Amino acid sequence: MKIGIDARLYGPKHTGIGRYVQELVSQLIPLSPKDQFIIFGDPKLLSDLESFSNVTIVPLKTPIYSLAEQLINPFIFYSHHLDLLHVPHFNAPLLYFKKTIITIHDLIKHLSTGPDTTTLPSWQYRIKHLAYRFLISRNLKTSTAIITPSHYWKNYLITQLKVPSAKIFVTYEAVNAGLKPVDTPDKTLLKKYSLKKPYIIYTGNLYPHKNVNLLINAVNSFNANHSLNLKLGIIAGRSAFHKRVTKSDAIVPLGYVPDQDLPHIYAQALALVQPSLIEGFGLTGLEAMKLKTPVVSSNATCLPEVYGQAALYFDPYDQQDLEEKISWIVKEHDLRQRLVDRGLSHVTQFSWTKTARQTLKAYKYAFK
C-alpha cells in the first residue's frame, strides 16, 4: 500500500500538532515495513526519516490554511498515485477525491468564536471562520475515516455534527519518550528564568479558551489572603494574545523553555495548572506527570478522560474553587505526593507506539 502523509506541520516548531505529526510518522514507518510511505513536507525537517527504505520524501512547502494548499497540493498528491492520503489536520484539499483520512485534534474553533478569539480585523476573521466551517464540514463528510485524540471529541462529532461512529477512530497521544524526570534538579537554573520558589507552572498559549486570566486572578487572590508570595511561571514560546493577559506581579514569563531545562523547572514547581475551558487532548498535563509534577486541572471537555484519577480537578468557571485547590497544593505535601505517584503510574498507559498501531487500524478500515 502506498500511503501519503501531509507532514508540512512536522516538528516542535508547530507546537502540539507538530509534535503529533513527528511522533506519529516516526512510529508508523517501522511498524509497517511492507507499506511505502510518501512524506510531503520540508526535506530539512524530515531528514531524520531518510534512513528508512520504505520512505520517499517529497518537498512541499505550501502555507498552512492557504489558497495554495487547496490548489497546488491535490495535484502533487495525485501525481504520486497514492492508495491513501493522511492529512493530520482538518485542512485536506477539497479537490482531492481519492481515499483520505483526516485527524481532528479538537473543535475549539466551533466553540470559541468571536472578535475576542482573534487578532484579525473583524471582517477578515468572519471570512476566515466561514472558510474554516465550510472546509471542516466538507472534509468530515468526504473523508474515508477520521482520527481524533479522545472519546470526548469522537462523541461530539457523532452527536453535534452527525458523523457516523464507524468511521471515527480514537488514538490517544503520548509524551515524548526522551522526556525524563531529574533526581536532583538544578536550583541555580531558576535564576536564569528569574523564578523564585514557591511557584506553580502554566504551559501553553494564551488564547481566550485557555482561561489563563482565571488562573492569574486566583493566584492574585491567594496571595492577597495568605502571607505566601506564590509565583506563576508561564511557559509560552509565542502567543499573539500576551497583551490581553491580566497584569500581575505574580507572573513570571518564561517564554520558550528548551527540553533540557524543562524537567528542572517542573521538578521544583508545586504543580502544573491546566485551567482550560476547552482542550483537544491535554498533553502538557501528561508531560508534567512524567516529570513528577502534580497536576491541577479544570474538569472541562476531554481533560478528565485523559488525566483520570491522576489530577486534582476544579470548575474552570469558579475562581474560588481554583483558589481553594491551589491552597491545598501549597499546604498539603501528602496530597502533592499522592498526585505525583498517581501521575507516574497513569502516564505509562500512553505511548506513541500505541497511537501508531491504532492509526494503522484506521488505515486498514479505509480499505474494507
Side-chain angles (χ1 to χ4, degrees):
M1 185 163 61
K2 187 182 284 190
I3 301 168
I5 300 178
D6 181 351
R8 288 174 298 142
L9 286 169
Y10 187 98
K13 78 171 188 176
H14 296 292
T15 63
I17 296 178
R19 181 163 302 204
Y20 163 81
V21 175
Q22 181 174 6
E23 295 286 355
L24 176 62
V25 170
S26 300
Q27 292 291 333
L28 277 174
I29 294 166
L31 280 177
S32 194
K34 293 182 180 179
D35 291 318
Q36 181 67 30
F37 288 89
I38 314 299
I39 312 298
F40 302 90
D42 186 341
K44 291 181 180 179
L45 295 177
L46 300 169
S47 60
D48 54 339
L49 304 176
E50 291 175 346
S51 60
F52 292 102
S53 60
N54 59 334
V55 168
T56 301
I57 296 172
V58 177
L60 183 60
K61 297 183 181 181
T62 47
I64 305 297
Y65 313 135
S66 68
L67 185 61
E69 75 175 1
Q70 291 297 317
L71 297 178
I72 296 172
N73 290 13
F75 294 101
I76 293 175
F77 297 151
Y78 276 127
S79 70
H80 288 274
H81 308 288
L82 306 173
D83 296 308
L84 178 68
L85 171 67
H86 183 183
V87 178
H89 204 15
F90 67 83
N91 58 328
L94 298 174
L95 297 177
Y96 187 79
F97 302 108
K98 294 182 70 176
K99 292 188 180 215
T100 303
I101 289 179
I102 60 172
T103 301
I104 300 296
H105 297 274
D106 56 62
L107 290 160
I108 289 170
K109 288 184 174 66
H110 273 63
L111 303 175
S112 180
T113 61
D116 291 339
T117 67
T118 182
T119 58
L120 297 173
S122 59
W123 66 269
Q124 193 173 348
Y125 165 76
R126 286 195 295 270
I127 293 172
K128 187 176 180 180
H129 188 70
L130 285 171
Y132 155 79
R133 294 293 292 245
F134 173 76
L135 183 61
I136 198 168
S137 176
R138 173 74 158 61
N139 283 339
L140 287 174
K141 291 177 182 176
T142 60
S143 60
T144 310
I146 297 164
I147 292 170
T148 193
S150 73
H151 288 280
Y152 176 89
W153 289 114
K154 175 178 179 177
N155 293 335
Y156 190 96
L157 288 169
I158 295 168
T159 59
Q160 302 300 315
L161 300 179
K162 310 306 178 185
V163 178
S165 174
K167 68 186 269 186
I168 307 173
F169 292 79
V170 174
T171 67
Y172 286 141
E173 297 176 10
V175 177
N176 187 320
L179 191 67
K180 299 182 184 301
V182 290
D183 294 326
T184 307
D186 184 355
K187 296 180 180 179
T188 63
L189 192 65
L190 300 186
K191 293 181 180 179
K192 173 182 174 181
Y193 294 96
S194 303
L195 193 57
K196 294 182 179 179
K197 296 181 181 180
Y199 64 89
I200 58 176
I201 289 291
Y202 167 78
T203 299
N205 62 51
L206 304 176
Y207 291 110
H209 71 269
K210 292 292 189 177
N211 205 25
V212 177
N213 281 339
L214 180 92
L215 173 56
I216 295 170
N217 292 335
V219 171
N220 286 340
S221 180
F222 174 85
N223 284 340
N225 294 322
H226 299 79
S227 58
L228 200 63
N229 184 21
L230 182 67
K231 296 296 184 182
L232 169 61
I234 295 181
I235 299 175
R238 55 183 174 85
S239 179
F241 290 86
H242 69 277
K243 293 181 180 179
R244 301 185 190 179
V245 170
T246 301
K247 306 303 178 188
S248 170
D249 292 337
I251 296 175
V252 182
L254 305 180
Y256 170 75
V257 176
D259 286 349
Q260 65 267 24
D261 290 355
L262 200 64
H264 298 273
I265 298 294
Y266 272 50
Q268 299 175 79
L270 291 174
L272 175 125
V273 182
Q274 173 81 286
S276 297
L277 298 171
I278 316 165
E279 199 62 54
F281 181 71
L283 193 55
T284 55
L286 291 183
E287 289 174 340
M289 291 177 191
K290 188 169 184 181
L291 295 177
K292 299 183 179 180
T293 304
V295 174
V296 180
S297 173
S298 82
N299 58 11
T301 60
C302 65
L303 293 173
E305 176 189 343
V306 175
Y307 297 156
Q309 300 300 311
L312 181 65
Y313 295 101
F314 63 92
D315 181 344
Y317 296 95
D318 187 341
Q319 179 184 315
Q320 187 175 352
D321 187 16
L322 174 54
E323 185 179 344
E324 180 181 36
K325 299 308 178 351
I326 289 173
S327 180
W328 292 2
I329 285 291
V330 170
K331 296 175 182 179
E332 299 183 25
H333 176 272
D334 289 346
L335 171 62
R336 296 200 302 272
Q337 190 57 52
R338 284 199 302 275
L339 290 171
V340 168
D341 293 341
R342 289 178 186 176
L344 283 171
S345 175
H346 183 68
V347 77
T348 61
Q349 300 176 36
F350 302 85
S351 80
W352 285 111
T353 302
K354 285 183 180 179
T355 306
R357 286 182 178 143
Q358 291 162 348
T359 301
L360 286 174
K361 289 181 181 179
Y363 290 179
K364 290 178 181 177
Y365 167 85
F367 283 90
K368 283 185 178 180

